[in-house]
Amino acid sequence: MAAEKSGTSTPSKGQAWFCTTGLPSDIIVEVDNMTFHLHKFPLMSKSKKLHDLIREQEETKNLPTNKRRQDTQNDDVESKSEEDDEEEDENLLEQVQCHVSLSDFPGGSEIFETAAKFCYGVKIDLTAAKVAPLRCAGEVLEMTEEYSEDNLISKTERYFANTVLKNIKDSVKTLKSCEKLPPLSENLGIVDRCIDAISSKASLYDPTLFGWPVNDVVEESRKKKKKNAAAPPSKVSDAWVEDLAQLSSHLFNRVISTMRMKEVNPEVIESCLIHYAKRCFPGISRSNRKPTATAPSMMASEAEQRQLLETIISNLPPENHTRSPQAAATSFLFGLLRTANILNASETCKSALEKKIGAQLNQATLDDLLIPSYSYLTETLYDVDCIERILSHFLANHEEREIEGEGDHQTLGNVRTPAIMHVGKLIDGYLSEIASDANLKPGKFIQLALSPPEKARLYDDGVYRAVDVYLKAHPWLSEEERDKVSGVMDCQKLTLEACTHAAQNERLPLRAVVQVLFFEQLQLRHAIAGTLITADIAPSESTPPSLLGHDEEEERDRGGGGGSGGGGGGTWKEAIKENQVLRLDMDSMRTRVYELERECSSMKKVIEKFDKDKVKVGVVNSPKRWRSTMSRKFGCKFKTQVCDSHESTVVETRKGRHNNNSQR
């Protein structure tokens, strides 16, 4: 059988399809914009529907046709010309041809063409995308087994049961093809069987194992080997998930609901929801905001998009399920939260999303936390309240996990885990970003800065940076508010670099500067004292083993657990290296102290000279006044006694002040 298409027919009918078997066609079938010129017998032998339509037309045309044939046999036939005979034959042929119009044919003209070829005995290739339309076409044309053996319905049913339903990827493709076949595909049970097959196959997947169900991987590998392009298992496993994301929202929700009823692994459901959300809402990912050509949300209304988003979020697994690489990334969840704020989703929906983000806040980045404020009720640039709620969820979840894992309530407060340390650093960076917002109130800044526990910060340098930025952006704060803002940082946890910067920071209140100076000098004295003690011990430890007595060597060997492995020699070398490092630190510290004392002595000489000049001129100033004058002149806030390492009264005085402050 040969067939050809032609576009030379009437424009209103579109294209024409001719069956070139050598015999003139005697039936015309119109499907959509295509006209098929076929033959009656092959169609009538397979389709009961076409058989009945053709018989009905032939019965209505038999009477006028026989009458005209009798008229042509009359005696006056001899008087007709040859041209009249040709016109009569054409009229007879037109009356003999049947015209059948099939409106709303499942699958359109393409599927009818395949069904027509099947009627002519041509071998057709069934695929997952065509089996459902062909099954519906066979139902419409009544191509049953009772009417003809090995008919189209039985052929498609065998392929559907033996091939499609046994492969999850083919089941998804067939389900996708059913979107254009309602309600016939529903009545035939094709949709329900596809959904059930997808859920059953997805329940066999275990994210902790190598890949998806074995039969799917083997089937895909065979197809790839034919093309000499083998794909990695990860690509094979994700193929059906990407196809599932192409479904309409109605069918997708039915698939997810069936998966939940069959208790499919929550991470499999989550992976499906991630792919679907990324296709429907391209703006979720900040790296890719270009809308896809098939994104349904671009054509849907705001209410439909909001309903779709709430459906996706409500189907996400709870925040306490086991994490794996297949689970939703924190940045994706933050993208969903931003989209929920834009679409004004329900508070229940956003609250559930915030709890899920809070359970994995330690995997977030600073860019994720910068959620713009879309509400007219808030004046700040970023949604600070949302971050506070997410942080509270994380702390509650983290404390619960620690209690379950440790079981000792007394040691929980001092444990510094990598997760809590990362979140503390994250909040410090967030504070530095929002501190420049002129509308951020001091109370909100202080509340967020004090939210992380003490164990979340090893040093308070990040808090100091945020405080500095906030004071710079809010110069109109009162002295009391400046003290409260500065009080969020612990001066004892500042590094020497931060202390040096804070001591010269004019934006800090005087009380904060005094505390910074005090603790800086306290750290310096402790470091010097420790270095001197180490220097006294170092000479005795650096004595070579040959100079030690016999008893001391034996004692050292016993203490070092001396064996044949040379463990004592390694410990001795490590001790020597540590002593060398301590000596270098001691030398650098002594150099710094010497420089400070030299600066103080030079300042004393300048002050004495200044006093002498004042006495000569006859000007008498109070000690407090000329010291403050010199402090402003030289830009130094140290008292002269502070730089003297041999003065003990200063340390005692500061200790007394510190104790008084602590008692207050």
Side-chain angles (χ1 to χ4, degrees), residues 300-310 343:
S301 63
E302 183 177 347
E304 293 174 345
Q305 293 183 48
R306 181 168 56 253
Q307 182 180 3
L308 178 60
L309 180 66
E310 292 179 353
L343 296 177

Side-chain angles (χ1 to χ4, degrees), residues 9-10 13 15-19 24-41 43 50 53-54 57 61 93-102 112 116 120:
S9 59
T10 307
K13 294 183 179 181
Q15 293 182 334
W17 192 91
F18 296 88
C19 179
S25 61
D26 52 6
I27 182 173
I28 297 176
V29 182
E30 296 181 3
V31 180
D32 294 342
N33 60 344
M34 182 73 74
T35 303
F36 293 87
H37 298 263
L38 305 173
H39 303 85
K40 297 178 182 179
F41 179 74
L43 301 180
L50 293 177
L53 291 175
I54 292 172
Q57 290 192 16
K61 292 182 179 181
L93 181 62
E94 291 180 358
Q95 292 179 0
V96 171
Q97 279 187 336
C98 294
H99 293 266
V100 177
S101 178
L102 299 176
F112 180 80
Y120 277 90

Side-chain angles (χ1 to χ4, degrees), residues 63-80 85 88 92:
L63 181 61
T65 301
N66 293 332
K67 184 178 180 180
R68 183 161 295 188
R69 286 179 179 176
Q70 293 176 359
D71 293 340
T72 57
Q73 295 177 0
N74 292 336
D75 296 337
D76 56 352
V77 173
E78 297 178 356
S79 63
K80 291 183 178 180
D85 292 339
E88 187 69 21
L92 290 175

Side-chain angles (χ1 to χ4, degrees), residues 400-440:
E400 182 180 354
R401 289 182 180 179
E402 282 187 337
I403 294 175
E404 293 177 356
E406 297 290 339
D408 187 1
H409 298 271
Q410 296 180 355
T411 60
L412 291 179
N414 299 326
V415 177
R416 282 195 174 97
T417 60
I420 194 70
M421 294 288 289
H422 177 76
V423 171
K425 185 177 180 181
L426 203 62
I427 295 300
D428 291 346
Y430 182 73
L431 286 170
S432 299
E433 289 291 334
I434 66 174
S436 58
D437 189 356
N439 295 324
L440 182 62

Side-chain angles (χ1 to χ4, degrees), residues 47-293:
S47 173
K48 184 177 182 302
K49 176 75 172 179
L50 293 177
H51 178 273
D52 295 341
L53 291 175
I54 292 172
R55 285 296 185 188
E56 183 180 353
Q57 290 192 16
E58 286 180 347
E59 290 176 359
T60 57
K61 292 182 179 181
N62 275 338
L63 181 61
T65 301
N66 293 332
K67 184 178 180 180
R68 183 161 295 188
R69 286 179 179 176
Q70 293 176 359
D71 293 340
T72 57
Q73 295 177 0
N74 292 336
D75 296 337
D76 56 352
V77 173
E78 297 178 356
S79 63
K80 291 183 178 180
S81 62
E82 295 180 357
E83 295 180 357
D84 294 336
D85 292 339
E86 293 178 357
E87 293 179 357
E88 187 69 21
D89 292 337
E90 292 179 358
N91 293 331
L92 290 175
L93 181 62
E94 291 180 358
Q95 292 179 0
V96 171
Q97 279 187 336
C98 294
H99 293 266
V100 177
S101 178
L102 299 176
S103 58
D104 298 330
F105 191 80
S109 59
E110 181 181 358
I111 297 301
F112 180 80
E113 179 183 342
T114 305
K117 289 180 180 180
F118 178 81
C119 295
Y120 277 90
V122 178
K123 183 180 179 180
I124 59 175
D125 295 329
L126 294 176
T127 62
K130 288 185 177 181
V131 64
L134 284 174
R135 173 65 180 87
C136 295
E139 190 71 19
V140 171
L141 297 176
E142 300 180 17
M143 301 175 70
T144 61
E145 196 73 16
E146 292 79 8
Y147 185 76
S148 177
E149 294 183 359
D150 197 18
N151 214 338
L152 184 60
I153 291 179
S154 60
K155 186 177 181 66
T156 53
E157 280 290 345
R158 284 195 301 270
Y159 181 84
F160 182 68
N162 299 332
T163 304
V164 173
L165 296 181
K166 292 185 177 180
N167 186 284
I168 189 170
K169 192 177 187 329
D170 290 341
S171 300
V172 175
K173 288 183 178 181
T174 302
L175 183 62
K176 174 66 177 176
S177 65
C178 293
E179 293 180 354
K180 299 180 180 180
L181 304 172
L184 192 55
S185 60
E186 292 280 1
N187 298 334
L188 296 176
I190 300 176
V191 175
D192 291 335
R193 285 185 287 174
C194 286
I195 293 176
D196 186 72
I198 294 170
S199 303
S200 300
K201 294 295 180 182
S203 62
L204 301 177
Y205 171 65
D206 187 355
T208 60
L209 299 179
F210 179 71
W212 297 88
V214 177
N215 56 345
D216 294 338
V217 177
V218 172
E219 183 67 22
E220 292 294 336
S221 300
R222 289 176 180 175
K223 294 179 181 180
K224 295 297 182 180
K225 286 181 179 179
K226 293 181 180 180
K227 299 180 181 180
N228 295 325
S234 60
K235 297 296 183 182
V236 175
S237 63
D238 292 340
W240 75 271
V241 180
E242 295 176 357
D243 293 338
L244 192 67
Q246 305 298 323
L247 295 176
S248 62
S249 59
H250 174 67
L251 289 179
F252 181 79
N253 292 336
R254 290 178 60 179
V255 173
I256 297 299
S257 300
T258 307
M259 285 184 178
R260 293 171 65 91
M261 290 177 57
K262 293 192 174 185
E263 297 182 353
V264 178
N265 193 306
E267 295 173 11
V268 178
I269 300 177
E270 190 174 26
S271 180
C272 298
L273 293 170
I274 291 172
H275 282 78
Y276 196 78
K278 287 182 178 179
R279 188 183 71 89
C280 295
F281 305 101
I284 288 179
S285 176
R286 289 183 172 180
S287 59
N288 182 20
R289 297 194 173 188
K290 295 181 180 180
T292 57

Side-chain angles (χ1 to χ4, degrees), residues 353-365:
L353 199 55
E354 289 173 358
K355 290 181 180 179
K356 188 171 181 62
I357 294 174
Q360 55 192 72
L361 182 61
N362 57 300
Q363 301 177 9
T365 62

